[in-house]
Amino acid sequence: MGWSPYRPTGLTYHQPAASFKGYTLLAPIRGEAAYLLDMDGRIVHRWRLPDLRTWYGRLQPDGRLLLGAVDPTLPPPPQTPFDQPPPAFDLHIRRLGGGFTHLLEVGWEGEVLWEYRNPAMHHDFVRLANGHTLVPEWVEIPDTLSRRVRGGLRRPREKFPPMLSDDIVELDRDGKEVSRLHLWQALDPVRDAIGLLTQRWEWTHTNSLAVTRDGHILFSCRTNSRVGKLDRESGALVWRYGHPEISLQHHATELPNGNIQIFDNGMHMAGPTRSRVIEVDPNTNAIVWEYVADPPQQFFSPHISGAERLPNGNVLICEGASGRVFEVTRRGEVVWEWISPFTTALGPISSPAIFRAHRYPPDYPGLARHTFDPAAYADLNRLHKL
């Protein structure tokens, strides 16, 4: 559940006969660039953002990088003691983790082609087929509702800020709001209670969004360990899953068979602390597949992280806190592993953290017309021993 400061970085293992071939995209949290890696773990492309700090990116079919980024000129989040009046909303949300200030479309050479700014958006984004974009946005909920929300950590003399939840906002290509769903109206303050060891600052803390084949919005909320589907028209909750089966999870995605894959961080669970990746049948809520390390404690990230099902059935896993990205087969065999050499400053500490990683096959449309040669980044690869 920890790692040596002397551990090897870069590609540490590869079983070519069993891995899914392609290029892996990742962005070190609060780094200066996003990177594309080949199967040998070498940088073959880089998108630099010298005036911003990266959060997380996805490569679009048109070759543009859709990327969340943070304004580095903002002062550090306030460290207000729990028994003192809380800061205002715009300062408070910067204490929560996962926020970014800019959503960008970046061209192949790093040029900014589209930009949307909103300091209240956080964690994830979805580009829709019509060019619109979904983002979660922190919002204060009515005090009458917050008093009904069960659970959460309460300390004597604590002065709580107004409780936050999320709206899911749809933006058009001009950055104008098209629709807004109130996640806090769909959930139940008792059934969807905050975890007992979790701050009562937020009810939801949405950390992933996706759109299912039937048009529903699939979401994951950390603070109340809830995964669910929302009807996009009515905002009604049409499926829920969560605690005690999972705890403080991330990255819920729909698989081709209609099942839901989840990165279960496993914090605050009974038994040995460990993370896992599970596949859930939403018709029965039964876990039909899972990946757990042997021993279980070998795989753990207390926060961030994700898992992506690859076309050959393997799963690309981002153990976010440690900066470890690895691929496993359905039998649970690790066939590719890469460990980040990048460390960035997260407050007073250095961190190798990566929010999520994606792998794209060589014939992915967004990679068309590009050739990749690690020699073009020889100095960078040599510097990081890749």
Side-chain angles (χ1 to χ4, degrees):
M1 294 191 295
W3 59 87
S4 168
Y6 309 108
R7 65 179 180 162
T9 58
L11 185 71
T12 60
Y13 182 73
H14 187 195
Q15 189 176 328
S19 63
F20 178 77
K21 307 307 182 291
Y23 296 92
T24 303
L25 172 69
L26 55 88
I29 292 179
R30 288 193 173 269
E32 295 183 354
Y35 301 94
L36 200 63
L37 311 175
D38 65 13
M39 292 302 293
D40 291 322
R42 300 169 299 186
I43 297 168
V44 295
H45 190 70
R46 174 177 61 170
W47 293 265
R48 295 194 65 192
L49 293 172
D51 298 325
L52 295 169
R53 296 295 177 264
T54 56
W55 167 248
Y56 160 65
R58 289 177 175 165
L59 188 61
Q60 303 303 296
D62 62 4
R64 297 184 178 192
L65 181 66
L66 188 60
L67 180 77
V70 180
D71 180 355
T73 66
L74 293 174
Q79 302 298 315
T80 306
F82 71 89
D83 59 352
Q84 297 300 309
F89 173 83
D90 61 327
L91 297 175
H92 173 54
I93 59 175
R94 294 180 40 233
R95 305 191 294 174
L96 304 178
F100 53 94
T101 56
H102 294 59
L103 184 59
L104 311 168
E105 277 186 4
V106 181
W108 197 254
E109 301 305 324
E111 65 277 23
V112 176
L113 304 173
W114 177 85
E115 180 178 4
Y116 170 72
R117 299 187 184 188
N118 181 350
M121 62 184 169
H122 60 100
H123 283 91
D124 207 359
F125 42 84
V126 176
R127 176 56 55 81
L128 303 174
N130 64 358
H132 292 187
T133 307
L134 295 180
V135 294
E137 182 181 306
W138 278 306
V139 292
E140 295 179 352
I141 64 174
D143 186 57
T144 53
L145 175 59
S146 66
R147 289 199 297 266
R148 295 170 52 214
V149 175
R150 299 286 182 87
L153 182 66
R154 299 175 186 265
R155 293 177 287 193
R157 302 183 307 280
E158 181 163 8
K159 292 181 170 59
F160 289 99
M163 184 176 285
L164 303 181
S165 182
D166 297 297
D167 282 356
I168 299 172
V169 183
E170 180 178 348
L171 308 167
D172 67 14
R173 290 293 299 173
D174 295 323
K176 296 180 180 178
E177 183 177 318
V178 174
S179 66
R180 178 180 292 261
L181 294 178
H182 306 303
L183 181 59
W184 46 275
Q185 288 184 341
L187 299 179
D188 185 278
V190 177
R191 292 185 66 185
D192 302 306
I194 300 170
L196 293 178
L197 298 178
T198 303
Q199 285 273 17
R200 279 186 60 87
W201 292 354
E202 300 175 88
W203 184 13
T204 48
H205 195 87
T206 299
N207 56 38
S208 80
L209 290 179
V211 176
T212 63
R213 290 172 297 173
D214 55 8
H216 295 316
I217 296 177
L218 177 66
F219 66 87
S220 165
C221 296
R222 175 177 171 87
T223 53
N224 57 4
S225 298
R226 178 64 65 215
V227 171
K229 294 181 186 180
L230 291 179
D231 182 275
R232 283 185 66 187
E233 296 298 323
S234 67
L237 190 68
V238 297
W239 177 69
R240 61 156 43 90
Y241 181 81
H243 185 79
E245 285 76 18
I246 54 177
S247 182
L248 305 188
Q249 78 296 323
H250 283 72
H251 201 198
T253 55
E254 185 183 49
L255 302 177
N257 62 3
N259 289 347
I260 306 300
Q261 182 172 271
I262 302 167
F263 187 105
D264 179 15
N265 293 78
M267 283 285 286
H268 304 169
M269 291 284 279
T273 302
R274 56 89 185 102
S275 296
R276 60 178 180 161
V277 176
I278 61 173
E279 178 182 339
V280 179
D281 182 345
N283 297 308
T284 63
N285 282 359
I287 296 174
V288 298
W289 178 85
E290 70 174 355
Y291 169 74
V292 178
D294 183 16
Q297 296 90 339
Q298 190 181 77
F299 168 40
F300 175 65
S301 180
H303 60 106
I304 54 177
S305 309
E308 176 181 72
R309 184 65 57 90
L310 300 173
N312 69 345
N314 290 359
V315 181
L316 184 72
I317 300 173
C318 176
E319 186 185 83
S322 67
R324 177 186 177 220
V325 182
F326 63 106
E327 179 184 349
V328 301
T329 67
R330 294 286 288 177
R331 298 187 301 274
E333 179 184 10
V334 176
V335 295
W336 188 89
E337 181 186 67
W338 183 89
I339 296 174
S340 178
F342 303 105
T343 56
T344 57
L346 299 184
I349 63 172
S350 296
S351 170
I354 301 169
F355 180 62
R356 202 181 292 166
H358 295 288
R359 181 169 296 165
Y360 301 92
D363 60 353
Y364 181 68
L367 299 177
R369 302 183 304 279
H370 297 291
T371 58
F372 301 104
D373 181 4
Y377 295 91
D379 291 342
L380 190 60
N381 284 317
R382 189 179 304 113
L383 175 65
H384 295 291
K385 301 179 182 179
L386 299 177

